[in-house]
Structures are given as C-alpha cells and as structure tokens.
C-alpha cells in the first residue's frame, strides 16, 4: 500500500534524528537537513524502499539494520514469530531454528522474547548473511541471548546434523514468489532474488525445507512456514502429502489473508 505522506514524515524525522511524533514540535528545518530530505524524497519517488533510506526496519520489539542485499522484514511475518513464541511458552531452554533468516528478524525476535531459547539462524545468500551477522551481533551486545548464525542451504540433507531430532520449533519465511510473477518495483528491484523466487509455483524451497524440518524436529516439535496469500491451500496440502506431519493448519494475517502454515511432527 502506498503511503507517501507517512513516508515523507518518516524521512524528515530520520534526517532530523527525531521520532515521527516529535515532528509536530519542529518549526524550522536547517538547510542541510532540508537538502538531505529532498534527496531522500527523490529516491523514494524512484521506488527505493523507505527502509533502505533510513537503514532500519522495525520488527516486533526490534529495529533491524537493513539495506541493499537483504530482504526487508515485513509486518505480516511478526505473527509467525508470535506463533512460535506461543509454542515455546513454558519451555526453559527450547531449541529453535530459523531457515532463511535474512536480517535475522524471526530468529532475533524469538531470542529476545524467549531469553532461554537457543536459536540458530540459517542463511544461504552470501550477500544477506552479513546483515544477519550484523544484527545478531548488535542484539547480543544489547544483552539479548546470542543467536548462532550458520551459512547454509535449508534444503541441504547435511544442514545442522548436530541438531537432528532435538529441535522444538522450526520457523521459515522462505522465498515463495512464483517465477515471473509481477511485483512492485520496491520489491523486484531491491529485495534480493534469492529471497523472492520459488520456482514455477513458488514452492520449490518449501518442498526442500520440509525434509530438513522433519529431520531436525523432535517428535511433537512444531513447524511454521510463511507463504503468499494465494498459497493458503497449496502449502497445507503440500505439508500433508510430504511426511509425518499432523495438526496441519493455516493461519490468516491481521488483514485476514492466508499467511502461514503450521504443523506438528508426528
Ligand atoms: C523472504 S526472505 C525472509 C527473510 C527473513 N526470515 C524475514 O522474514 O524477513 C527469505 C530468505 O531465505 C534465504 N534463502 C533462500 N533460499 C535459501 C536456502 N535454500 N537456504 C537458506 N536460505 C535461503 C534468502 O536469501 C532470504 O534471506
């Protein structure tokens, strides 16, 4: 959804180094800040994502560093983190794996909100994993439970063999856009291709991660996978047909659109 006024306000607040709500107290903008603001507005008008201009993206209680090379975390993914945290409630030191971690959004939110959790973030893209590591280091320095960052392919049979059968929750927001689908310029030109494209039906990586999740989870462990709003039937059907999964359910986002599928191993 386009929000030019909000974007302009956020950019002005960014160049002034204040929060958006404090703009109401601003009566004068210095020339250098006005020039930076004008340049940012021109970039935003050319469809550079707002978050690339500010260098920050909010996610639950976090503010993550983002920029070229990494997927900008989306608000709808916050619910998948909330679902995972609900499954961890009451577990002292649960083991969690985030497959395709990008900025680290899911992994770092879970580590922050369930401090006992031992979280591993997996990322394949060499351009993105620098951002995963930067954000993980920043959160650890701020006092959150450290997250282990691993470069790897979530479809690899040999990924994280040391965790096999011992993971409580696997979460993933994998690439799921069908090849050739039309996307807004902000997405098509600025989110990394590896974060977006999922083969002819968008589900190639999902198919691969199901085997990995089944191998990593303990019996009764839980899997949560984000998907496109058009995949609310296809992903649950794929999970049901693809191994020892039970309690397969699909969940809507806050706008009521199908957004993520969850399942129990065994
Ligand atoms: C849609 S982005 C999600 C990033 C982050 N989890 C979030 O929710 O904001 C998908 C991420 O998966 C990574 N990825 C794609 N294929 C992968 C694979 N086979 N193994 C590991 N990571 C992969 C991409 O590089 C990208 O960072």
């Amino acid at each position: 959804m386009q929000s030019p006024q909000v974007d302009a306000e956020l950019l002005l607040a960014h160049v002034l180094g204040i929060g958006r709500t404090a703009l109401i107290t601003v009566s004068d903008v210095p020339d250098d800040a006005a020039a930076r603001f004008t340049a940012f507005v021109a970039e935003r008008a050319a469809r550079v994502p707002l978050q690339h201009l500010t260098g920050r993206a909010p996610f639950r209680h976090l503010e993550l560093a983002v920029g070229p090379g990494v997927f900008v975390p989306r608000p709808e993914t916050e619910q998948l983190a909330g679902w995972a945290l609900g499954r961890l409630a009451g577990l002292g030191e649960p083991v969690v794996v985030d497959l395709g971690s990008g900025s680290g959004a899911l992994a770092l939110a879970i580590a922050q909100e369930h401090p006992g959790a031992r979280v591993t973030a997996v990322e394949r893209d060499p351009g993105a994993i620098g951002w995963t590591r930067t954000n993980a280091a920043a959160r650890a320095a701020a006092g959150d439970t450290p997250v282990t960052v691993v470069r790897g392919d979530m479809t690899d049979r040999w990924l994280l063999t040391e965790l096999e059968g011992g993971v409580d929750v696997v979460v993933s927001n994998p690439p799921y856009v069908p090849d050739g689908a039309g996307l807004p310029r902000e997405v098509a030109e600025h989110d990394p291709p590896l974060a977006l494209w999922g083969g002819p039906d968008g589900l190639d990586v999902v198919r691969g991660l199901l085997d990995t999740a089944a191998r990593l989870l303990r019996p009764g462990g839980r899997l949560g996978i984000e998907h496109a709003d058009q995949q609310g039937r296809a992903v649950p059907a794929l999970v049901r047909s693809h191994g020892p999964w039970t309690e397969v359910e699909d969940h809507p986002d806050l706008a009521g659109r199908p957004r993520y599928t969850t399942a129990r191993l065994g």
Side-chain angles (χ1 to χ4, degrees):
M1 192 170 58
Q2 302 294 330
S3 51
Q5 177 162 346
V6 173
D7 288 7
E9 289 173 5
L10 287 166
L11 287 171
L12 183 57
H14 175 66
V15 299
L16 293 173
I18 60 175
R20 179 176 160 223
T21 51
L23 284 176
I24 197 161
T25 65
V26 173
S27 54
D28 187 36
V29 177
D31 288 347
D32 60 336
R36 288 180 64 212
F37 172 68
T38 303
F40 275 148
V41 168
E43 286 193 85
R44 184 71 194 95
R47 298 291 182 251
V48 176
L50 175 73
Q51 297 88 342
H52 282 204
L53 298 174
T54 63
R56 313 297 295 175
F59 190 82
R60 291 179 70 92
H61 304 290
L62 299 171
E63 209 186 55
L64 298 160
V66 293
V70 74
F71 182 83
V72 173
R74 309 296 206 268
E76 50 268 34
T77 306
E78 294 180 353
Q79 279 166 271
L80 177 57
W83 168 85
L85 286 158
R87 305 289 75 69
L88 303 178
L91 302 180
E93 293 191 352
V95 180
V96 179
V97 174
D98 172 20
L99 296 173
S101 199
S103 64
L106 285 164
L108 295 171
I110 291 167
Q112 181 180 56
E113 295 183 53
H114 194 107
R118 287 177 285 151
V119 183
T120 298
V122 176
E123 176 55 53
R124 174 181 174 187
D125 188 342
I129 198 166
W131 295 96
T132 325
R133 292 204 168 104
T134 297
N135 283 314
R139 290 317 313 164
D144 290 355
T145 310
V147 164
T148 303
V149 179
V150 172
R151 171 121 184 253
D153 182 337
M154 69 173 99
T155 68
D156 178 1
R157 163 72 188 84
W158 303 106
L159 178 74
L160 301 180
T161 46
E162 68 280 13
L163 297 182
E164 268 180 17
V167 176
D168 294 284
V169 172
V170 171
V171 287
S172 185
N173 176 15
Y176 53 63
V177 182
D179 290 352
L183 293 171
R185 281 180 62 198
E186 283 89 340
V187 180
E189 296 174 14
H190 296 279
D191 279 321
L194 203 59
L196 301 175
W197 305 111
D201 64 354
L203 299 177
D204 281 0
V205 181
V206 176
R207 286 187 191 89
L209 83 81
L210 288 175
D211 288 338
T212 301
R215 185 170 54 75
L216 294 178
L217 286 167
R218 63 169 169 75
R222 304 284 177 154
L223 168 65
I225 310 170
E226 183 168 318
H227 58 66
D229 39 6
Q230 303 83 357
Q231 295 165 340
R233 287 175 191 271
V235 173
L238 184 60
V239 176
R240 285 192 189 97
S241 69
H242 207 94
W245 303 102
T246 60
E247 299 180 29
V248 180
E249 287 177 51
D250 203 66
H251 306 256
D253 61 21
L254 291 176
R257 293 173 300 222
R259 183 58 58 208
Y260 63 97
T261 299
T262 61
R264 179 182 191 275
L265 186 72

